[in-house]
Amino acid sequence: MKMTLEKRILLFSFLILFLTIFISSGMDIMALRKDQVSALNLRSKGLAVALKSNIEKVLNLGLELKDMTGVSEKCREIIEGNPDIAYCVVTDLDGRVLFASDPRFIAMPLQPQPQKEESRPGDEPVYKRRVSMVFDGAHNSYYDNAIMVMSPYGKPIAQAHVGFSEQVVFDKMRGMVLKTLLLLAFSLITSFTLIMLFMRRYVTQPISVLLKGVKQISEGAFDTHIGEVQVDEFNELARNVNIMSQFLKNRDAEIKKNYQDMERTFEELQASYRKLETLSTDLERSEELYKSLMEDASDAIVVIGADDSIRMVNKMAEEFFGYEAKELVGLPLTKMLLLLNIGNIPKVHRIFREASEGAHIAEEMQLSKKEGGAMVAMLHASSIKSGSETLVQAIFRDVTREREIILNLEKSSADLARLNRMKDSFLGLASHELKTPLTVIMGYSELITTDLADKVDKTVLEMVVNIANAASRLDNIIKDMVDVSMIDEKRLQLKVEDIQLNRLIEASVNELRFFFSMRKQEVVLNLDESLPSIRGDALRLMQLLSNILGNAIKFTPDGGRITVSSSAKYLLRGPAGSAEGREHHLFLEITVTDTGIGIDREDQLRVFDKFYEVGNIQEHSSGKVAFKAKGAGLGLSIAKGIVDMHGGEIWVESTGYNPERFPGSTFHILLPLAPGLGEGNTDYSRLLR
């Protein structure tokens, strides 16, 4: 969509103002944050030095560090007197916590060898770094300041750690950030309003006046006069437009005069044309014959007279038959057929006789060229008029290659059918053979993660959980493979019962509500509550809806919308391949519309094929939330099989694939009130129970 000049200038001004104020405010906030961290680091350092001094005083009295008491209480006093401080601990040189302000820190050792802070000569060496700890299931980031505790002999024996949470810095910064944002918004609104008023008064209003006048002139109102405007440049343009309007007015009067002269001349030419038209009628008959025998025709053309003699052949006929024109012209039709070794000559004579009577004949035949070599030719014979004589035009086209291609295609089709049967057989065998070992893997994985969880190393337990999740995904794929195999072999049975379709839709949506929330997708239900109940398999219909909704979740970006609708409609259906006996039947329609990346028109024809997967999940995922891994391409194939078994129809509509504009897709599902009413579907009635 094209933008007006006003919108472009306003947008550019807004961006410049916003970036200038935003960068300035951001630098101020960063400087303030650095000052806050420095101040808290100094306080933490001072508290750590004080704690270190207290400990060294006791050590100088001859006590061992491990025999000291009251250190934890001293740490708690430091925390209580300084609300911004998060923890106070004393560790040995290996990082194990000996004393802590909170018993929870004892189980969380601090790693040794922190980064040393630059200090002035004579100051205590301070070790600073950022650490991450987990409390109550949540990760917390801290700024840690550590001071070495020396023995009476000057040997380091422990470290005194005092740290504060990164959240404290954020809390202190919140007020400044809000004040900065308010200032940014006020500055933007004020500056942008002034620019907008200036633009409208001195740019857009003069342009609108000029545009209105030019539009009237372009529509033919050459008497239009544009008045003066406030800007000198636009005023000069208005004067030039007025001069142009007067010039166009004079030219228009001159053109009208010339047009009247042309109209008189045209009437004279029309009278001459009618005379020439009567003279060209006889020439058209000869021209049609000439055009049909043009020397650059790509097919062999032979003209046979009423006396069954060859009247004319073109150059392509000479190449096609191997005989020169002088060898064929004047020969009887029978002799030419004998030269070309064409069988069943009486039948060919009958073809030409029917063609001379006005019929258009197309017949395939075999012939031989002069130098040898058989070929298959398609003969098209029709009658043409040359004056009062009726001629037969025979067009021969070499279809030898086409016949070979058709034979090869038939052979390839048979081979593909055989490979498809082998694939289906392998599919069933593979799914059956994988089921037993997979059951063992899932069973032992569940045993380890539940009953033996407290006896297994945490890292090993995490690996076992990953194994269990992978086995669960593989189990779902195998189930899909089994369903596809049973559908292909027509062994899948439906347990038919009365079903309220709207409740089934709501249950399917609720089942996937967790995944909708993970992707922050909006679900809209437009259900017609007047729908009657239908006969079908509730479990399989739930599987159908889950596959379609899962597909919509997968290929719709984070924050998108998915709409599920239900309605009833009467459709004309009857026996497949017959136009008779068709009646109106009541169908219930379910539509699932998403705002996803869409489907190419070519892919829409194959999207329900087995193992056919379209689209790229990475192109529309935010990266923060991943729905699930790419599937095996069986979900939509199973969905189509379930719909077919219920006598329904399923198809998809989309304007095309576009991962940038998200055109979306709509899946349509038609279900009859009772299975077996769909047109052109396989008869699954013997599988219902």
Side-chain angles (χ1 to χ4, degrees), residues 470 473-474 476-477 480 519 550-551 553-555 597 603 611-621 626-635 657:
R473 288 195 297 270
L474 182 58
N476 291 331
I477 293 176
D480 288 344
R519 299 294 301 275
N551 194 71
I553 295 172
K554 186 187 302 182
F555 295 103
I597 58 178
D603 290 333
F611 305 107
Y612 191 77
E613 188 83 6
V614 299
N616 186 355
I617 303 174
Q618 300 303 325
E619 292 179 349
H620 57 273
S621 176
F627 171 54
K628 58 182 179 179
K630 189 173 183 180
L634 297 176
Y657 169 79

PDB file of all heavy atoms in Angstrom, residues 470 473-474 476-477 480 519 550-551 553-555 597 603 611-621 626-635 657:
ATOM      1  N   ALA A 470      11.463 -39.309  24.189  1.00  0.00           N
ATOM      2  CA  ALA A 470      11.717 -39.745  22.807  1.00  0.00           C
ATOM      3  C   ALA A 470      10.943 -41.018  22.490  1.00  0.00           C
ATOM      4  O   ALA A 470      10.383 -41.177  21.394  1.00  0.00           O
ATOM      5  CB  ALA A 470      13.215 -39.959  22.594  1.00  0.00           C
ATOM      6  N   ARG A 473       7.342 -40.105  21.839  1.00  0.00           N
ATOM      7  CA  ARG A 473       7.129 -39.582  20.481  1.00  0.00           C
ATOM      8  C   ARG A 473       7.183 -40.695  19.448  1.00  0.00           C
ATOM      9  O   ARG A 473       6.377 -40.722  18.507  1.00  0.00           O
ATOM     10  CB  ARG A 473       8.194 -38.514  20.173  1.00  0.00           C
ATOM     11  CG  ARG A 473       7.995 -37.215  20.937  1.00  0.00           C
ATOM     12  CD  ARG A 473       8.829 -36.083  20.332  1.00  0.00           C
ATOM     13  NE  ARG A 473      10.263 -36.353  20.421  1.00  0.00           N
ATOM     14  CZ  ARG A 473      11.029 -36.001  21.449  1.00  0.00           C
ATOM     15  NH1 ARG A 473      10.507 -35.378  22.481  1.00  0.00           N
ATOM     16  NH2 ARG A 473      12.319 -36.262  21.443  1.00  0.00           N
ATOM     17  N   LEU A 474       8.143 -41.641  19.611  1.00  0.00           N
ATOM     18  CA  LEU A 474       8.234 -42.763  18.672  1.00  0.00           C
ATOM     19  C   LEU A 474       6.996 -43.645  18.761  1.00  0.00           C
ATOM     20  O   LEU A 474       6.509 -44.157  17.742  1.00  0.00           O
ATOM     21  CB  LEU A 474       9.496 -43.576  18.970  1.00  0.00           C
ATOM     22  CG  LEU A 474       9.771 -44.780  18.047  1.00  0.00           C
ATOM     23  CD1 LEU A 474       9.867 -44.314  16.603  1.00  0.00           C
ATOM     24  CD2 LEU A 474      11.047 -45.486  18.470  1.00  0.00           C
ATOM     25  N   ASN A 476       3.952 -42.609  19.439  1.00  0.00           N
ATOM     26  CA  ASN A 476       2.883 -41.927  18.687  1.00  0.00           C
ATOM     27  C   ASN A 476       3.047 -42.133  17.193  1.00  0.00           C
ATOM     28  O   ASN A 476       2.072 -42.325  16.459  1.00  0.00           O
ATOM     29  CB  ASN A 476       2.885 -40.436  19.019  1.00  0.00           C
ATOM     30  CG  ASN A 476       2.441 -40.161  20.444  1.00  0.00           C
ATOM     31  OD1 ASN A 476       1.657 -40.922  21.006  1.00  0.00           O
ATOM     32  ND2 ASN A 476       2.943 -39.081  21.023  1.00  0.00           N
ATOM     33  N   ILE A 477       4.315 -42.091  16.702  1.00  0.00           N
ATOM     34  CA  ILE A 477       4.556 -42.305  15.270  1.00  0.00           C
ATOM     35  C   ILE A 477       4.163 -43.726  14.884  1.00  0.00           C
ATOM     36  O   ILE A 477       3.551 -43.957  13.835  1.00  0.00           O
ATOM     37  CB  ILE A 477       6.032 -42.024  14.935  1.00  0.00           C
ATOM     38  CG1 ILE A 477       6.333 -40.534  15.134  1.00  0.00           C
ATOM     39  CG2 ILE A 477       6.359 -42.442  13.511  1.00  0.00           C
ATOM     40  CD1 ILE A 477       7.784 -40.176  14.931  1.00  0.00           C
ATOM     41  N   ASP A 480       0.510 -44.002  14.600  1.00  0.00           N
ATOM     42  CA  ASP A 480       0.063 -43.449  13.316  1.00  0.00           C
ATOM     43  C   ASP A 480       0.341 -44.411  12.179  1.00  0.00           C
ATOM     44  O   ASP A 480      -0.476 -44.576  11.270  1.00  0.00           O
ATOM     45  CB  ASP A 480       0.760 -42.111  13.051  1.00  0.00           C
ATOM     46  CG  ASP A 480       0.244 -40.998  13.955  1.00  0.00           C
ATOM     47  OD1 ASP A 480      -0.841 -41.196  14.546  1.00  0.00           O
ATOM     48  OD2 ASP A 480       0.909 -39.960  14.062  1.00  0.00           O
ATOM     49  N   ARG A 519       1.970 -21.459  22.808  1.00  0.00           N
ATOM     50  CA  ARG A 519       2.219 -20.629  21.626  1.00  0.00           C
ATOM     51  C   ARG A 519       1.509 -19.277  21.705  1.00  0.00           C
ATOM     52  O   ARG A 519       1.549 -18.497  20.765  1.00  0.00           O
ATOM     53  CB  ARG A 519       1.748 -21.371  20.366  1.00  0.00           C
ATOM     54  CG  ARG A 519       2.450 -22.693  20.096  1.00  0.00           C
ATOM     55  CD  ARG A 519       3.914 -22.506  19.780  1.00  0.00           C
ATOM     56  NE  ARG A 519       4.103 -21.653  18.622  1.00  0.00           N
ATOM     57  CZ  ARG A 519       4.070 -22.093  17.361  1.00  0.00           C
ATOM     58  NH1 ARG A 519       3.855 -23.364  17.110  1.00  0.00           N
ATOM     59  NH2 ARG A 519       4.235 -21.267  16.366  1.00  0.00           N
ATOM     60  N   GLY A 550      -3.747 -29.846  15.684  1.00  0.00           N
ATOM     61  CA  GLY A 550      -2.304 -29.878  15.883  1.00  0.00           C
ATOM     62  C   GLY A 550      -1.551 -29.313  14.698  1.00  0.00           C
ATOM     63  O   GLY A 550      -0.548 -28.613  14.849  1.00  0.00           O
ATOM     64  N   ASN A 551      -2.038 -29.605  13.503  1.00  0.00           N
ATOM     65  CA  ASN A 551      -1.424 -29.051  12.288  1.00  0.00           C
ATOM     66  C   ASN A 551      -1.553 -27.520  12.273  1.00  0.00           C
ATOM     67  O   ASN A 551      -0.628 -26.808  11.901  1.00  0.00           O
ATOM     68  CB  ASN A 551      -2.104 -29.659  11.059  1.00  0.00           C
ATOM     69  CG  ASN A 551      -1.327 -29.416   9.796  1.00  0.00           C
ATOM     70  OD1 ASN A 551      -0.268 -30.001   9.591  1.00  0.00           O
ATOM     71  ND2 ASN A 551      -1.831 -28.561   8.945  1.00  0.00           N
ATOM     72  N   ILE A 553      -1.861 -25.534  14.949  1.00  0.00           N
ATOM     73  CA  ILE A 553      -0.975 -25.001  15.981  1.00  0.00           C
ATOM     74  C   ILE A 553       0.463 -24.943  15.476  1.00  0.00           C
ATOM     75  O   ILE A 553       1.180 -23.962  15.667  1.00  0.00           O
ATOM     76  CB  ILE A 553      -1.064 -25.854  17.268  1.00  0.00           C
ATOM     77  CG1 ILE A 553      -2.474 -25.758  17.883  1.00  0.00           C
ATOM     78  CG2 ILE A 553      -0.012 -25.421  18.278  1.00  0.00           C
ATOM     79  CD1 ILE A 553      -2.686 -26.706  19.032  1.00  0.00           C
ATOM     80  N   LYS A 554       0.886 -26.010  14.787  1.00  0.00           N
ATOM     81  CA  LYS A 554       2.270 -26.131  14.353  1.00  0.00           C
ATOM     82  C   LYS A 554       2.636 -25.055  13.339  1.00  0.00           C
ATOM     83  O   LYS A 554       3.727 -24.485  13.390  1.00  0.00           O
ATOM     84  CB  LYS A 554       2.501 -27.524  13.771  1.00  0.00           C
ATOM     85  CG  LYS A 554       3.957 -27.813  13.419  1.00  0.00           C
ATOM     86  CD  LYS A 554       4.111 -29.138  12.684  1.00  0.00           C
ATOM     87  CE  LYS A 554       3.590 -30.310  13.468  1.00  0.00           C
ATOM     88  NZ  LYS A 554       3.800 -31.583  12.759  1.00  0.00           N
ATOM     89  N   PHE A 555       1.735 -24.748  12.398  1.00  0.00           N
ATOM     90  CA  PHE A 555       2.076 -23.851  11.304  1.00  0.00           C
ATOM     91  C   PHE A 555       1.446 -22.461  11.451  1.00  0.00           C
ATOM     92  O   PHE A 555       1.313 -21.739  10.475  1.00  0.00           O
ATOM     93  CB  PHE A 555       1.672 -24.474   9.966  1.00  0.00           C
ATOM     94  CG  PHE A 555       2.452 -25.713   9.644  1.00  0.00           C
ATOM     95  CD1 PHE A 555       1.899 -26.970   9.789  1.00  0.00           C
ATOM     96  CD2 PHE A 555       3.773 -25.616   9.229  1.00  0.00           C
ATOM     97  CE1 PHE A 555       2.632 -28.108   9.507  1.00  0.00           C
ATOM     98  CE2 PHE A 555       4.506 -26.739   8.935  1.00  0.00           C
ATOM     99  CZ  PHE A 555       3.941 -27.992   9.087  1.00  0.00           C
ATOM    100  N   ILE A 597       1.234 -19.826   7.939  1.00  0.00           N
ATOM    101  CA  ILE A 597       2.086 -19.526   6.789  1.00  0.00           C
ATOM    102  C   ILE A 597       1.453 -19.945   5.485  1.00  0.00           C
ATOM    103  O   ILE A 597       1.973 -19.626   4.421  1.00  0.00           O
ATOM    104  CB  ILE A 597       3.453 -20.214   6.948  1.00  0.00           C
ATOM    105  CG1 ILE A 597       3.286 -21.745   7.087  1.00  0.00           C
ATOM    106  CG2 ILE A 597       4.192 -19.648   8.125  1.00  0.00           C
ATOM    107  CD1 ILE A 597       4.584 -22.499   7.209  1.00  0.00           C
ATOM    108  N   ASP A 603       0.987 -27.988  -3.240  1.00  0.00           N
ATOM    109  CA  ASP A 603       1.005 -28.827  -2.036  1.00  0.00           C
ATOM    110  C   ASP A 603      -0.405 -29.170  -1.564  1.00  0.00           C
ATOM    111  O   ASP A 603      -0.600 -30.198  -0.903  1.00  0.00           O
ATOM    112  CB  ASP A 603       1.763 -28.123  -0.913  1.00  0.00           C
ATOM    113  CG  ASP A 603       3.256 -28.053  -1.186  1.00  0.00           C
ATOM    114  OD1 ASP A 603       3.744 -28.934  -1.912  1.00  0.00           O
ATOM    115  OD2 ASP A 603       3.917 -27.132  -0.696  1.00  0.00           O
ATOM    116  N   PHE A 611       3.347 -39.488   4.477  1.00  0.00           N
ATOM    117  CA  PHE A 611       4.735 -39.047   4.601  1.00  0.00           C
ATOM    118  C   PHE A 611       5.016 -37.755   3.845  1.00  0.00           C
ATOM    119  O   PHE A 611       6.155 -37.457   3.524  1.00  0.00           O
ATOM    120  CB  PHE A 611       5.720 -40.140   4.120  1.00  0.00           C
ATOM    121  CG  PHE A 611       5.534 -41.451   4.820  1.00  0.00           C
ATOM    122  CD1 PHE A 611       4.953 -42.517   4.158  1.00  0.00           C
ATOM    123  CD2 PHE A 611       5.922 -41.612   6.136  1.00  0.00           C
ATOM    124  CE1 PHE A 611       4.784 -43.723   4.787  1.00  0.00           C
ATOM    125  CE2 PHE A 611       5.753 -42.821   6.772  1.00  0.00           C
ATOM    126  CZ  PHE A 611       5.175 -43.887   6.109  1.00  0.00           C
ATOM    127  N   TYR A 612       3.976 -36.986   3.545  1.00  0.00           N
ATOM    128  CA  TYR A 612       4.186 -35.720   2.824  1.00  0.00           C
ATOM    129  C   TYR A 612       4.058 -34.583   3.822  1.00  0.00           C
ATOM    130  O   TYR A 612       3.010 -34.389   4.427  1.00  0.00           O
ATOM    131  CB  TYR A 612       3.168 -35.554   1.705  1.00  0.00           C
ATOM    132  CG  TYR A 612       3.492 -34.407   0.774  1.00  0.00           C
ATOM    133  CD1 TYR A 612       4.496 -34.544  -0.179  1.00  0.00           C
ATOM    134  CD2 TYR A 612       2.820 -33.192   0.864  1.00  0.00           C
ATOM    135  CE1 TYR A 612       4.811 -33.504  -1.037  1.00  0.00           C
ATOM    136  CE2 TYR A 612       3.135 -32.142   0.006  1.00  0.00           C
ATOM    137  CZ  TYR A 612       4.122 -32.313  -0.936  1.00  0.00           C
ATOM    138  OH  TYR A 612       4.428 -31.277  -1.781  1.00  0.00           O
ATOM    139  N   GLU A 613       5.158 -33.846   4.027  1.00  0.00           N
ATOM    140  CA  GLU A 613       5.193 -32.768   5.034  1.00  0.00           C
ATOM    141  C   GLU A 613       5.538 -31.473   4.333  1.00  0.00           C
ATOM    142  O   GLU A 613       6.476 -31.409   3.539  1.00  0.00           O
ATOM    143  CB  GLU A 613       6.254 -33.079   6.093  1.00  0.00           C
ATOM    144  CG  GLU A 613       6.241 -32.135   7.265  1.00  0.00           C
ATOM    145  CD  GLU A 613       5.216 -32.507   8.321  1.00  0.00           C
ATOM    146  OE1 GLU A 613       4.585 -33.569   8.190  1.00  0.00           O
ATOM    147  OE2 GLU A 613       5.033 -31.726   9.263  1.00  0.00           O
ATOM    148  N   VAL A 614       4.773 -30.390   4.588  1.00  0.00           N
ATOM    149  CA  VAL A 614       5.033 -29.092   3.963  1.00  0.00           C
ATOM    150  C   VAL A 614       5.306 -28.081   5.057  1.00  0.00           C
ATOM    151  O   VAL A 614       4.931 -28.257   6.211  1.00  0.00           O
ATOM    152  CB  VAL A 614       3.843 -28.611   3.105  1.00  0.00           C
ATOM    153  CG1 VAL A 614       3.582 -29.582   1.987  1.00  0.00           C
ATOM    154  CG2 VAL A 614       2.599 -28.453   3.959  1.00  0.00           C
ATOM    155  N   GLY A 615       5.977 -26.963   4.662  1.00  0.00           N
ATOM    156  CA  GLY A 615       6.194 -25.862   5.596  1.00  0.00           C
ATOM    157  C   GLY A 615       7.427 -26.050   6.453  1.00  0.00           C
ATOM    158  O   GLY A 615       7.992 -27.143   6.566  1.00  0.00           O
ATOM    159  N   ASN A 616       7.893 -24.984   7.086  1.00  0.00           N
ATOM    160  CA  ASN A 616       9.064 -24.973   7.951  1.00  0.00           C
ATOM    161  C   ASN A 616       8.674 -24.344   9.280  1.00  0.00           C
ATOM    162  O   ASN A 616       8.349 -23.173   9.349  1.00  0.00           O
ATOM    163  CB  ASN A 616      10.197 -24.188   7.299  1.00  0.00           C
ATOM    164  CG  ASN A 616      11.478 -24.289   8.113  1.00  0.00           C
ATOM    165  OD1 ASN A 616      11.484 -24.858   9.203  1.00  0.00           O
ATOM    166  ND2 ASN A 616      12.565 -23.755   7.601  1.00  0.00           N
ATOM    167  N   ILE A 617       8.688 -25.163  10.359  1.00  0.00           N
ATOM    168  CA  ILE A 617       8.252 -24.668  11.671  1.00  0.00           C
ATOM    169  C   ILE A 617       9.128 -23.503  12.129  1.00  0.00           C
ATOM    170  O   ILE A 617       8.656 -22.546  12.735  1.00  0.00           O
ATOM    171  CB  ILE A 617       8.303 -25.804  12.708  1.00  0.00           C
ATOM    172  CG1 ILE A 617       7.446 -26.995  12.243  1.00  0.00           C
ATOM    173  CG2 ILE A 617       7.855 -25.338  14.068  1.00  0.00           C
ATOM    174  CD1 ILE A 617       7.555 -28.194  13.126  1.00  0.00           C
ATOM    175  N   GLN A 618      10.450 -23.533  11.813  1.00  0.00           N
ATOM    176  CA  GLN A 618      11.351 -22.499  12.312  1.00  0.00           C
ATOM    177  C   GLN A 618      11.023 -21.126  11.754  1.00  0.00           C
ATOM    178  O   GLN A 618      11.424 -20.112  12.308  1.00  0.00           O
ATOM    179  CB  GLN A 618      12.800 -22.876  11.957  1.00  0.00           C
ATOM    180  CG  GLN A 618      13.243 -24.209  12.547  1.00  0.00           C
ATOM    181  CD  GLN A 618      13.112 -24.256  14.059  1.00  0.00           C
ATOM    182  OE1 GLN A 618      13.327 -23.251  14.716  1.00  0.00           O
ATOM    183  NE2 GLN A 618      12.750 -25.402  14.610  1.00  0.00           N
ATOM    184  N   GLU A 619      10.314 -21.058  10.631  1.00  0.00           N
ATOM    185  CA  GLU A 619      10.039 -19.773  10.006  1.00  0.00           C
ATOM    186  C   GLU A 619       8.967 -18.976  10.740  1.00  0.00           C
ATOM    187  O   GLU A 619       8.842 -17.784  10.544  1.00  0.00           O
ATOM    188  CB  GLU A 619       9.619 -19.978   8.547  1.00  0.00           C
ATOM    189  CG  GLU A 619      10.765 -20.488   7.672  1.00  0.00           C
ATOM    190  CD  GLU A 619      10.317 -20.702   6.242  1.00  0.00           C
ATOM    191  OE1 GLU A 619       9.093 -20.650   6.013  1.00  0.00           O
ATOM    192  OE2 GLU A 619      11.162 -20.903   5.372  1.00  0.00           O
ATOM    193  N   HIS A 620       8.179 -19.640  11.600  1.00  0.00           N
ATOM    194  CA  HIS A 620       7.103 -18.907  12.266  1.00  0.00           C
ATOM    195  C   HIS A 620       7.128 -19.069  13.774  1.00  0.00           C
ATOM    196  O   HIS A 620       6.258 -18.558  14.456  1.00  0.00           O
ATOM    197  CB  HIS A 620       5.744 -19.403  11.743  1.00  0.00           C
ATOM    198  CG  HIS A 620       5.526 -20.868  11.925  1.00  0.00           C
ATOM    199  ND1 HIS A 620       5.939 -21.797  11.007  1.00  0.00           N
ATOM    200  CD2 HIS A 620       4.961 -21.564  12.930  1.00  0.00           C
ATOM    201  CE1 HIS A 620       5.614 -23.005  11.436  1.00  0.00           C
ATOM    202  NE2 HIS A 620       5.034 -22.892  12.589  1.00  0.00           N
ATOM    203  N   SER A 621       8.133 -19.772  14.331  1.00  0.00           N
ATOM    204  CA  SER A 621       8.233 -19.920  15.781  1.00  0.00           C
ATOM    205  C   SER A 621       9.011 -18.752  16.352  1.00  0.00           C
ATOM    206  O   SER A 621       9.937 -18.238  15.735  1.00  0.00           O
ATOM    207  CB  SER A 621       8.925 -21.238  16.126  1.00  0.00           C
ATOM    208  OG  SER A 621       9.105 -21.342  17.509  1.00  0.00           O
ATOM    209  N   ALA A 626       8.696 -23.746  21.586  1.00  0.00           N
ATOM    210  CA  ALA A 626       8.606 -24.693  20.462  1.00  0.00           C
ATOM    211  C   ALA A 626       7.488 -25.668  20.752  1.00  0.00           C
ATOM    212  O   ALA A 626       7.401 -26.233  21.835  1.00  0.00           O
ATOM    213  CB  ALA A 626       9.925 -25.433  20.287  1.00  0.00           C
ATOM    214  N   PHE A 627       6.604 -25.881  19.785  1.00  0.00           N
ATOM    215  CA  PHE A 627       5.436 -26.731  20.021  1.00  0.00           C
ATOM    216  C   PHE A 627       5.850 -28.192  20.134  1.00  0.00           C
ATOM    217  O   PHE A 627       5.719 -28.830  21.150  1.00  0.00           O
ATOM    218  CB  PHE A 627       4.424 -26.534  18.896  1.00  0.00           C
ATOM    219  CG  PHE A 627       3.277 -27.512  18.936  1.00  0.00           C
ATOM    220  CD1 PHE A 627       2.514 -27.650  20.075  1.00  0.00           C
ATOM    221  CD2 PHE A 627       2.979 -28.291  17.843  1.00  0.00           C
ATOM    222  CE1 PHE A 627       1.460 -28.531  20.117  1.00  0.00           C
ATOM    223  CE2 PHE A 627       1.928 -29.172  17.877  1.00  0.00           C
ATOM    224  CZ  PHE A 627       1.166 -29.292  19.010  1.00  0.00           C
ATOM    225  N   LYS A 628       6.418 -28.724  19.095  1.00  0.00           N
ATOM    226  CA  LYS A 628       6.916 -30.096  19.110  1.00  0.00           C
ATOM    227  C   LYS A 628       7.746 -30.294  17.863  1.00  0.00           C
ATOM    228  O   LYS A 628       7.789 -29.444  16.989  1.00  0.00           O
ATOM    229  CB  LYS A 628       5.772 -31.104  19.181  1.00  0.00           C
ATOM    230  CG  LYS A 628       4.761 -30.985  18.040  1.00  0.00           C
ATOM    231  CD  LYS A 628       3.643 -31.976  18.231  1.00  0.00           C
ATOM    232  CE  LYS A 628       2.611 -31.858  17.118  1.00  0.00           C
ATOM    233  NZ  LYS A 628       1.523 -32.807  17.260  1.00  0.00           N
ATOM    234  N   ALA A 629       8.425 -31.431  17.759  1.00  0.00           N
ATOM    235  CA  ALA A 629       9.299 -31.693  16.621  1.00  0.00           C
ATOM    236  C   ALA A 629       8.484 -31.913  15.363  1.00  0.00           C
ATOM    237  O   ALA A 629       7.279 -32.139  15.400  1.00  0.00           O
ATOM    238  CB  ALA A 629      10.167 -32.918  16.909  1.00  0.00           C
ATOM    239  N   LYS A 630       9.170 -31.866  14.223  1.00  0.00           N
ATOM    240  CA  LYS A 630       8.497 -32.091  12.947  1.00  0.00           C
ATOM    241  C   LYS A 630       7.961 -33.514  12.898  1.00  0.00           C
ATOM    242  O   LYS A 630       8.614 -34.461  13.308  1.00  0.00           O
ATOM    243  CB  LYS A 630       9.493 -31.839  11.811  1.00  0.00           C
ATOM    244  CG  LYS A 630       8.853 -31.832  10.447  1.00  0.00           C
ATOM    245  CD  LYS A 630       9.854 -31.400   9.409  1.00  0.00           C
ATOM    246  CE  LYS A 630       9.192 -31.323   8.048  1.00  0.00           C
ATOM    247  NZ  LYS A 630      10.127 -30.900   7.006  1.00  0.00           N
ATOM    248  N   GLY A 631       6.739 -33.698  12.378  1.00  0.00           N
ATOM    249  CA  GLY A 631       6.083 -34.997  12.376  1.00  0.00           C
ATOM    250  C   GLY A 631       6.548 -35.893  11.249  1.00  0.00           C
ATOM    251  O   GLY A 631       7.424 -35.563  10.453  1.00  0.00           O
ATOM    252  N   ALA A 632       5.918 -37.073  11.190  1.00  0.00           N
ATOM    253  CA  ALA A 632       6.262 -38.039  10.153  1.00  0.00           C
ATOM    254  C   ALA A 632       5.421 -37.855   8.909  1.00  0.00           C
ATOM    255  O   ALA A 632       5.572 -38.590   7.942  1.00  0.00           O
ATOM    256  CB  ALA A 632       6.087 -39.460  10.703  1.00  0.00           C
ATOM    257  N   GLY A 633       4.516 -36.903   8.884  1.00  0.00           N
ATOM    258  CA  GLY A 633       3.698 -36.676   7.695  1.00  0.00           C
ATOM    259  C   GLY A 633       2.545 -37.653   7.559  1.00  0.00           C
ATOM    260  O   GLY A 633       2.100 -37.936   6.451  1.00  0.00           O
ATOM    261  N   LEU A 634       2.046 -38.188   8.690  1.00  0.00           N
ATOM    262  CA  LEU A 634       0.950 -39.160   8.635  1.00  0.00           C
ATOM    263  C   LEU A 634      -0.356 -38.600   9.177  1.00  0.00           C
ATOM    264  O   LEU A 634      -1.411 -39.204   8.958  1.00  0.00           O
ATOM    265  CB  LEU A 634       1.331 -40.422   9.438  1.00  0.00           C
ATOM    266  CG  LEU A 634       2.532 -41.220   8.926  1.00  0.00           C
ATOM    267  CD1 LEU A 634       2.836 -42.358   9.878  1.00  0.00           C
ATOM    268  CD2 LEU A 634       2.261 -41.762   7.532  1.00  0.00           C
ATOM    269  N   GLY A 635      -0.300 -37.472   9.902  1.00  0.00           N
ATOM    270  CA  GLY A 635      -1.499 -36.961  10.577  1.00  0.00           C
ATOM    271  C   GLY A 635      -2.633 -36.671   9.627  1.00  0.00           C
ATOM    272  O   GLY A 635      -3.771 -37.115   9.825  1.00  0.00           O
ATOM    273  N   TYR A 657       1.517 -20.114  -0.050  1.00  0.00           N
ATOM    274  CA  TYR A 657       2.497 -20.159   1.036  1.00  0.00           C
ATOM    275  C   TYR A 657       3.244 -18.832   1.117  1.00  0.00           C
ATOM    276  O   TYR A 657       3.797 -18.370   0.125  1.00  0.00           O
ATOM    277  CB  TYR A 657       3.469 -21.312   0.773  1.00  0.00           C
ATOM    278  CG  TYR A 657       4.688 -21.319   1.664  1.00  0.00           C
ATOM    279  CD1 TYR A 657       4.614 -21.788   2.969  1.00  0.00           C
ATOM    280  CD2 TYR A 657       5.915 -20.853   1.204  1.00  0.00           C
ATOM    281  CE1 TYR A 657       5.719 -21.806   3.788  1.00  0.00           C
ATOM    282  CE2 TYR A 657       7.032 -20.865   2.013  1.00  0.00           C
ATOM    283  CZ  TYR A 657       6.933 -21.341   3.311  1.00  0.00           C
ATOM    284  OH  TYR A 657       8.026 -21.345   4.123  1.00  0.00           O
TER     285      TYR A 657
END
